[in-house]
Amino acid sequence: MGPRDFEFLKDFLQGRSGLVITPDKKYLIDTRLLPVVHSHGLKTIPDVIEILRCGENEILAVDVTEAMTTNESLFFRDDSPFDLFRQQILPMLLERRKDKRKFRIWCAACSSGQEPYSLAMILHQEQNRLAGWKAEIVATDISHDILERARKAIFTQFEVQRGLPVEMLLKHFVQDGDYWQLSDQIRNMVRFEYLNLLESIKSVGKFDVIFCRNVLIYFDLDTKRSVLEGLRSALVNDGALFLGGSESTMGICEDFIPVPDVRGVYRKTECIDSVAG
Amino acid sequence: MKSCLIVDDSKVIRMVAKKILEDLEFETIEAADGQQALDACQATMPDAVLLDWNMPVMSGIEFLRELRAMSGGDKPIVVFCTTENDIEHIQDAIEAGANEYIMKPFDGEIIQAKFSQVGLL
Ligand SMILES: C[S@@+](CC[C@H](N)C(=O)[O-])C[C@H]1O[C@@H](n2cnc3c(N)ncnc32)[C@H](O)[C@@H]1O
């Protein structure tokens, strides 16, 4: 692929999903786009780019955008955010929302579902305390393919061994050959929807807790800032925002400040008594 | 430094596991079957045991039951690591007192994830 094609693809992806690709990531383009090339009956990546330039093949444009996303995820990723959710945030919500008996959680880049399902398994563990409560988990992603996989909730042996405690495997999964199917009970606790963080954040409503983990890393500074501003308006005032282990709002967005002593958790700057402490 | 007893009848697997565990800063001891593992535990109780299932002389699950009945045998954290990957085996292992369960094939990442879940890292 020549430099002009690379530049075009770079701008195209940045405009579509926010993804920034640098020249040293060129190899990713080959491995990820070749399947798209073939599934559209084309021969080379420059063929794809030529069609994208015309701007008339939306299906191809979507396929290219989705193929370039990194969907790596695992259950209870990094453990500590989920421990914090269980030990601190959830008890706070139970206390503060006891009149409404209702709260909402949003996983804003949910990939194949491990993150929202981890939260659902935690809520299930606490089901006695949550009796009579309405706890909603909304999980969104830009990739239709990955959302389809997330809804099916069928995981490989490798996936169920990364982060998932074996007692939860026994409790919530049934084995089907080499695969593991998550129970309907947990699946039904999560609602999956398409959402591009660059576009329509306002449409999702308000949330008490937002997980937006390991997606900002792919964006440039301006995109990070505008996504964080969007998350700010989607988060209730005393809500908690969870970012990935290598992500931060520092120096990007003044609306959030880190919660002391717990990595990756943020609250609104304007709020002094957040559920995040 | 924490110690981990690696129990597997395959020398190759023991080698791979040893390398991974040493990178995670464990002192490692090796045993080729359940009986050797019991002898090792009688000498010194390790902090952790990485345990295969099918082995000659004494199987992993037999070892585990004996270990849990020994004095001080409740201490080591036992992580099965076996090709037995059906729910019945996993259930039996947990009932016999295993703390975690790895289905082979495994890699460093899985061992690390499981060991940190059970508080060994
Ligand atoms: C590495 S995964 C993170 C999954 C999960 N949050 C975790 O931490 O394990 C990143 C996800 O972000 C999604 N993504 C990328 N750009 C997006 C955008 N503009 N809007 C919504 N989702 C996006 C990708 O499709 C991918 O599934």
Side-chain angles (χ1 to χ4, degrees):
Chain A
M1 182 182 11
R4 282 193 52 227
D5 279 354
F6 177 78
E7 280 304 311
F8 172 82
L9 189 63
K10 178 171 167 284
D11 293 344
F12 170 85
L13 291 168
Q14 198 161 351
R16 285 260 167 179
S17 72
L19 175 69
V20 175
I21 41 165
T22 47
D24 61 307
K25 293 277 163 60
K26 267 189 179 163
Y27 69 94
L28 269 185
I29 300 177
D30 288 340
T31 48
R32 292 190 179 171
L33 288 192
L34 281 176
V36 180
V37 171
H38 297 137
S39 72
H40 281 260
L42 300 167
K43 289 223 163 56
T44 64
I45 291 175
D47 292 348
V48 169
I49 291 177
E50 200 180 312
I51 300 175
L52 292 181
R53 278 185 204 275
C54 304
E56 274 161 19
N57 190 336
E58 182 59 20
I59 296 176
L60 182 66
V62 168
D63 286 354
V64 166
T65 309
E66 292 194 10
M68 288 304 297
T69 58
T70 300
N71 305 120
E72 164 97 357
S73 190
L74 49 149
F75 290 100
F76 299 96
R77 188 169 191 162
D78 305 327
D79 292 326
S80 65
F82 294 90
D83 292 342
L84 183 91
F85 174 79
R86 189 198 321 254
Q87 287 156 16
Q88 183 173 330
I89 311 271
L90 191 57
M92 280 285 234
L93 288 173
L94 286 168
E95 174 57 30
R96 290 204 192 173
R97 308 287 187 263
K98 60 174 183 264
D99 295 334
K100 285 195 304 178
R101 295 172 90 75
K102 190 181 155 188
F103 59 85
R104 303 182 79 211
I105 304 170
W106 178 25
C107 291
C110 65
S111 190
S112 31
Q114 284 91 331
E115 183 180 274
Y117 288 140
S118 298
L119 292 166
M121 286 185 261
I122 293 177
L123 295 186
H124 181 268
Q125 266 179 339
E126 303 290 332
Q127 60 181 336
N128 290 339
R129 294 161 79 192
L130 283 166
W133 282 67
K134 190 165 179 269
E136 220 184 317
I137 305 175
V138 179
T140 63
D141 200 281
I142 195 178
S143 164
H144 296 87
D145 268 5
I146 209 74
L147 285 168
E148 205 41 53
R149 269 180 50 197
R151 283 189 193 102
K152 288 201 180 108
I154 297 169
F155 296 94
T156 64
Q157 179 167 304
F158 180 67
E159 288 167 328
V160 295
Q161 300 209 74
R162 295 176 79 206
L164 186 73
V166 71
E167 63 180 89
M168 295 225 185
L169 179 72
L170 286 177
K171 196 191 253 168
H172 298 300
F173 290 78
V174 289
Q175 192 170 22
D176 183 7
D178 287 339
Y179 293 91
W180 294 81
Q181 168 76 63
L182 182 61
S183 71
D184 287 346
Q185 192 177 35
I186 299 295
R187 280 171 73 195
N188 293 337
M189 292 171 72
V190 182
R191 194 174 84 230
F192 289 96
E193 272 169 33
Y194 167 86
L195 184 135
N196 183 347
L197 286 169
L198 264 46
E199 284 167 3
S200 41
I201 288 192
K202 294 229 157 59
S203 66
V204 290
K206 289 272 188 186
F207 292 89
D208 301 283
V209 178
I210 299 178
F211 276 66
C212 183
R213 306 192 69 220
N214 304 298
V215 63
L216 292 180
I217 28 167
Y218 301 105
F219 301 159
D220 71 4
L221 199 66
D222 286 339
T223 311
K224 284 184 180 131
R225 182 173 298 131
S226 73
V227 171
L228 282 168
E229 279 163 8
L231 297 179
R232 180 193 172 280
S233 60
L235 188 67
V236 299
N237 266 339
D238 65 347
L241 169 68
F242 287 75
L243 298 182
S246 56
E247 295 162 336
S248 165
T249 64
M250 303 278 274
I252 305 171
C253 177
E254 306 275 297
D255 299 335
F256 290 103
I257 53 169
V259 174
D261 307 324
V262 278
R263 197 158 144 200
V265 187
Y266 298 79
R267 62 174 177 80
K268 284 192 182 181
T269 310
E270 68 203 66
C271 170
I272 43 164
D273 64 339
S274 156
V275 292
Chain B
M1 211 183 209
K2 286 188 173 151
S3 58
C4 183
L5 173 63
I6 303 167
V7 193
D8 202 304
D9 57 343
S10 151
K11 207 173 166 184
V12 180
I13 299 273
R14 289 203 307 271
M15 232 167 62
V16 175
K18 182 180 158 88
K19 169 87 181 65
I20 293 170
L21 288 162
E22 283 179 353
D23 288 346
L24 296 173
E25 302 195 332
F26 277 87
E27 183 194 328
T28 60
I29 316 130
E30 293 176 39
D33 60 57
Q35 187 56 52
Q36 283 185 18
L38 269 185
D39 295 344
C41 290
Q42 244 132 24
T44 5
M45 241 352 134
D47 297 304
V49 182
L50 190 70
L51 185 61
D52 187 18
W53 194 296
N54 287 309
M55 289 175 291
V57 190
M58 185 192 281
S59 72
I61 193 94
E62 287 167 321
F63 157 78
L64 178 58
R65 292 193 181 113
E66 300 255 346
L67 171 74
R68 291 308 191 209
M70 262 164 83
S71 106
D74 53 336
K75 296 238 167 53
I77 290 186
V78 176
V79 179
F80 257 104
C81 184
T82 165
T83 46
E84 302 298 340
N85 66 354
D86 54 283
I87 229 150
E88 291 76 22
H89 275 87
I90 304 178
Q91 220 134 26
D92 288 349
I94 301 302
E95 270 162 29
N99 301 81
E100 258 300 341
Y101 200 101
I102 294 171
M103 297 173 262
K104 285 175 181 168
F106 64 97
D107 61 8
E109 208 184 312
I110 289 179
I111 291 201
Q112 184 169 6
K114 291 285 182 187
F115 272 49
S116 76
Q117 258 164 43
V118 291
L120 281 166
L121 297 177

